[in-house]
Amino acid sequence: MERVVDPENMERAYRKVISNKGAPGVDGMTVHQLADHLKQYWPTLRERLLAGEYHPGSIRAVEIPKPKGGTRQLGIPTVTDRLIQQALLQVLTPLFDPGFSESSYGYRPGRSAQQAASAMKAHVTAGHRWVVDLDLEAFFDRVNHDLLMARVVRRVCDKRVLRLIRRYLEAGMFRDGLTTPRRQGTPQGGPLSPLLANILLDDVDKELERRGHCFCRYADDMQIYVCSRRAGERVMASLSDFLESSLRLTVNRDKSAVDRPWNRGYLGYTLTRYKLPKLTLTRASLRRLMQRVREILKRGRGRHIRHVTRELAPVLRGWASYFSLVDVKGPLEALDGWIRRRLRCVVWRQWKRPGTRCRKLLGLGLDAYRAWKSTGNGRGPWWNAGASHMNQALPRRWFEQQGLISVLDTVRWLTRSS
């Protein structure tokens, strides 16, 4: 605990919490108010932590939509508790992380989802052309506290730290004006939860390594790669039994499957079925980005196109950075074309009147007859956005001048630079 409250460690934790921003907890305090709060209360808070007498506040329950439908419940600790959890995380990570599996990629320093996708490709290329795709039902809500603490005790002997972690696990969930005590689960939303999840699931990693399996795990997303369906079904049955009996976790039988890798997505990526497989996108990944673009463009109907492209830029750049390993460029090229067509649709609507449309098309280089004929074609905005007159008037070069980022070009640039 002395290392947790060390000034240098706390300063690092404070900078991390501030940079992460995040919503207020049940006390309503924002990250911008944290500095003033600590100036007044830090000496008392520090003494309570060193004495083992600190009790966390309740956790604010927030539901967010899942990409595939339904909702996921997050637990938002107070800003003060996020600071303490971050300070704990910085001390505990060097104790636990070196012992984790090389096939574990989630929420670990120096590891990423892209590395997991590359490992997936390598395993399938090596001939493991069947996958056991395991889905844990409501994993973060069903973590058994006793089993988890038994694994934390293996590396941590300070009883003050152990009591504090237990109190964080048992902190009540505040919702609809009531605080409900928790008997299991580690709420998503706190800095400490991902490490605790890795500590518990490290037992699964070690069991798979003991059996000699090729696998990838990113938090609770797990895939095991085998050479035949029969082998996959054996692994599915035995591993499901291990998870349910040893770790008291529930396997979602409806979402889990033994299948070909190219029929199952992993972290937004999937594979082609070639002998030498290539990384490509899942349809769900494309749909999520397209929905995000639609939402931005709905807000942009009354704004100059430069303002719209400026809002799109960080979304497209971040998405392209995550999917920079994609080998199949066709979907990215089609996506770029779809985004430009959506923007042409916005422009066509903004022009509104036939006279305005004719004047704008003339100003963009179309001859008078074609501009007049295109304006009076009686078709809707989406049809016109894909027609040759709008493609000629607003080509790709025009959108580049307005600041639009090409997803395909960004991925190519990132691939070259890496």
Side-chain angles (χ1 to χ4, degrees):
M1 186 60 80
E2 281 75 13
R3 291 171 59 192
V4 171
V5 300
D6 178 77
E8 185 178 341
N9 186 56
M10 292 303 302
E11 186 178 347
R12 282 175 53 215
Y14 174 81
R15 288 198 300 268
K16 185 70 173 177
V17 170
I18 295 298
S19 67
N20 286 343
K21 300 178 182 178
V26 293
D27 61 357
M29 185 192 302
T30 67
V31 291
H32 304 296
Q33 298 169 316
L34 181 58
D36 291 336
H37 178 78
L38 291 175
K39 285 176 186 175
Q40 185 175 356
Y41 294 106
W42 172 244
T44 305
L45 186 59
R46 181 178 183 277
E47 290 305 315
R48 290 174 64 196
L49 286 167
L50 289 172
E53 296 173 353
Y54 178 78
H55 288 264
S58 299
I59 297 169
R60 184 166 68 91
V62 177
E63 287 193 349
I64 61 170
K66 288 183 178 180
K68 297 181 181 179
T71 59
R72 174 183 287 115
Q73 182 171 276
L74 297 185
I76 310 298
T78 65
V79 178
T80 305
D81 282 325
R82 295 210 294 271
L83 174 71
I84 297 169
Q85 284 195 34
Q86 181 63 37
L88 274 170
L89 177 69
Q90 291 166 184
V91 172
L92 294 176
T93 296
L95 295 177
F96 286 96
D97 192 79
F100 288 156
S101 169
E102 287 296 311
S103 298
S104 168
Y105 298 92
Y107 307 110
R108 296 181 58 192
R111 291 182 164 258
S112 66
Q114 287 90 338
Q115 290 176 333
S118 292
M120 169 181 69
K121 178 182 175 182
H123 293 320
V124 177
T125 302
H128 302 89
R129 295 172 70 83
W130 288 88
V131 63
V132 181
D133 194 352
L134 268 171
D135 184 273
L136 296 177
E137 188 172 332
F139 166 72
F140 283 92
D141 297 330
R142 297 191 176 180
V143 169
N144 183 281
H145 293 173
D146 293 333
L147 289 174
L148 174 57
M149 291 307 300
R151 283 147 183 79
V152 176
V153 169
R154 294 172 185 172
R155 298 289 179 92
V156 178
C157 58
D158 190 327
K159 292 184 178 179
R160 298 166 299 178
V161 172
L162 294 172
R163 278 197 300 269
L164 183 57
I165 293 173
R166 186 87 190 205
R167 286 168 184 165
Y168 275 123
L169 290 172
E170 295 176 350
M173 192 72 77
F174 184 82
R175 184 175 184 177
D176 299 328
L178 296 174
T179 299
T180 307
R182 289 187 305 114
R183 298 286 178 263
Q184 62 179 5
T186 172
Q188 291 176 270
L192 200 54
S193 293
L195 175 63
L196 296 178
N198 276 333
I199 289 170
L200 183 65
L201 290 174
D202 188 56
D203 279 24
V204 186
D205 298 342
K206 295 299 190 287
E207 176 66 15
L208 289 169
E209 287 177 345
R210 187 185 67 79
R211 299 181 187 184
H213 289 306
C214 299
F215 68 98
C216 293
R217 183 177 67 78
Y218 191 95
D220 58 329
D221 288 327
M222 194 183 320
Q223 288 194 342
I224 304 98
Y225 305 94
V226 294
C227 296
S228 68
R229 177 183 285 278
R230 188 175 177 183
E233 288 170 351
R234 285 199 304 268
V235 171
M236 174 71 81
S238 61
L239 196 58
S240 297
D241 181 65
F242 175 83
L243 287 163
E244 292 173 351
S245 60
S246 298
L247 299 182
R248 302 183 195 175
L249 298 172
T250 303
V251 175
N252 189 327
R253 310 283 178 178
D254 295 330
K255 293 183 178 180
S256 300
V258 177
D259 205 342
R260 293 292 194 178
W262 43 86
N263 295 331
R264 310 292 293 187
Y266 189 56
L267 303 175
Y269 285 91
T270 188
L271 292 166
T272 61
R273 62 175 67 210
Y274 305 136
K275 188 172 183 180
L276 292 177
K278 296 182 177 181
L279 283 173
T280 186
L281 300 163
T282 62
R283 290 182 180 178
S285 301
L286 279 172
R287 281 197 300 268
R288 282 196 292 272
L289 178 64
M290 291 167 76
Q291 183 57 36
R292 183 79 180 95
V293 170
R294 286 190 188 99
E295 291 168 0
I296 293 172
L297 296 189
K298 280 180 184 177
R299 300 196 297 268
R301 289 180 182 175
R303 294 185 294 166
H304 191 281
I305 204 71
R306 280 187 181 276
H307 296 298
V308 181
T309 57
R310 194 178 299 135
E311 189 175 351
L312 277 173
V315 175
L316 299 180
R317 192 178 289 114
W319 191 88
S321 176
Y322 181 84
F323 288 107
S324 59
L325 298 183
V326 165
D327 300 313
V328 182
K329 307 303 182 187
L332 302 180
E333 191 173 15
L335 180 63
D336 277 337
W338 179 84
I339 293 170
R340 288 194 296 272
R341 185 171 179 179
R342 295 292 304 191
L343 286 167
R344 289 189 190 103
C345 195
V346 171
V347 172
W348 185 262
R349 283 195 175 100
Q350 287 178 345
W351 290 346
K352 292 185 180 178
R353 302 178 188 279
T356 305
R357 289 171 177 170
C358 186
R359 188 173 68 255
K360 293 287 188 181
L361 289 173
L362 285 169
L364 289 164
L366 267 67
D367 62 73
Y369 175 74
R370 192 170 182 210
W372 171 80
K373 186 177 178 181
S374 300
T375 300
N377 61 34
R379 301 279 191 157
W382 181 247
W383 186 92
N384 276 284
S388 59
H389 58 271
M390 284 296 280
N391 277 271
Q392 182 181 333
L394 304 178
R396 175 176 174 170
R397 184 177 64 256
W398 185 87
F399 285 108
E400 289 173 353
Q401 291 168 356
Q402 307 306 311
L404 180 65
I405 288 174
S406 164
V407 173
L408 178 60
D409 289 348
T410 305
V411 167
R412 282 173 172 166
W413 182 83
L414 289 167
T415 304
R416 287 196 300 269
S417 61
S418 62

